[in-house]
Amino acid sequence: MKQYKIRITPYSSKYAEQTVDMWRDSKEQAIGQKEIHDFENHVYFINHILPEQFQIDLALIDEEVVGMIAYNDREISQLYIHLEYRGIGIGRRLLDRAKAQSSGRLTLYTFEVNEKAQRFYEKHGFEIISRGHENEENLPDIQYEWIFN
């Protein structure tokens, strides 16, 4: 397996378009439907709205965005990995950052159709606590929780 030098860094708006491209591709592949927001609104969201409540970290290989996570001490809002770089530990590294900064408990949501995400979170200690919350994609989802032990 090829070894990559992955750098985790706080989000910078200079990576906005790359991050949104990667995020949209990853999400669309995971849930099987096109993103409902246009690209410009998505860039605005990551630059101005998401940072109000969440720390955003990027995973970079050279200067290419290969992953992103948005989290605070209680919740993971977003976690997406570039389609071509899955399975090499990027998600685990980003998740470990959120766990290390957490209050000892994290919750997150994922879509029921995203079975890969479910397996990933369960492998990393998250347990299902509820199902069927409303979201703008109108897809059934699952709420997970991780508690430090």
Side-chain angles (χ1 to χ4, degrees), residues 12-45:
S12 165
S13 61
K14 74 179 184 179
Y15 296 110
E17 291 187 3
Q18 269 195 74
T19 303
V20 169
D21 271 336
M22 181 276 304
W23 181 348
R24 293 166 75 91
D25 289 347
S26 182
K27 182 178 177 185
E28 289 173 6
Q29 190 272 340
I31 69 172
Q33 73 181 37
K34 289 285 186 196
E35 176 60 41
I36 59 176
H37 301 286
D38 68 31
F39 190 85
E40 292 75 24
N41 284 339
H42 209 150
V43 169
Y44 182 85
F45 177 77

Side-chain angles (χ1 to χ4, degrees), residues 1 6 81 85-95 120:
M1 183 159 94
I6 301 162
I81 307 302
Y85 294 95
R86 291 187 174 168
I88 63 170
I90 297 167
R92 178 191 46 78
R93 285 189 54 191
L94 292 171
L95 193 58
F120 172 79

